[in-house]
Amino acid sequence: SVAAALGDPQALTALRELEVRERARLLDWQAEQLRAELDNTRDARAREVALARAGHGGAWVTGMVALVVVAGFFGMLRAVLEQPSVSEPALLLLGSLGTAFGAVVNYYLGSSLGSFRKDELRSRHGEGGTR
């Protein structure tokens, strides 16, 4: 039973060791996910820079899409705020544009959450450092 296990020092030690191993596995998995996210962002930015340096005509597309998303988000936000009653499709569109707006901000300005998680994982793994 649980009460007997809690009274057994060997069982408690084994549970604690299991908890430590599982926490380490979770941290490793989180670090791997964070690396994948950072690599994805780095690759997208590197692609954009390479297109611009090569004089590729499509290098402006990313910026134009970002501009359309930002303008659409604030335009839709204004439309929703000015209406006495708002339809559900309008709110769904605003939510989708809000998500896209967040992605644009993250792409161009970076993610504070991602930076925080990276620093936290480094400190837990003993790599130290803030950025």
Side-chain angles (χ1 to χ4, degrees), residues 40-88:
N40 183 38
T41 301
R42 186 180 321 111
D43 291 347
R45 289 178 181 158
R47 180 191 54 83
E48 187 175 349
V49 168
L51 285 174
R53 284 185 180 154
H56 189 274
W60 57 270
V61 173
T62 306
M64 184 58 70
V65 169
L67 186 62
V68 168
V69 167
V70 170
F73 172 70
F74 284 109
M76 191 64 196
L77 181 61
R78 181 176 181 201
V80 165
L81 292 175
E82 289 177 348
Q83 298 298 318
S85 66
V86 182
S87 67
E88 185 175 339

Side-chain angles (χ1 to χ4, degrees), residues 17-60:
E17 289 172 357
L18 177 63
E19 180 183 3
V20 168
R21 280 195 311 270
E22 290 303 311
R23 184 172 293 170
R25 283 183 53 204
L26 177 61
L27 286 173
D28 289 343
W29 179 82
Q30 288 174 332
E32 183 179 325
Q33 294 300 310
L34 183 58
R35 275 191 294 276
E37 289 174 26
L38 293 173
D39 287 346
N40 183 38
T41 301
R42 186 180 321 111
D43 291 347
R45 289 178 181 158
R47 180 191 54 83
E48 187 175 349
V49 168
L51 285 174
R53 284 185 180 154
H56 189 274
W60 57 270

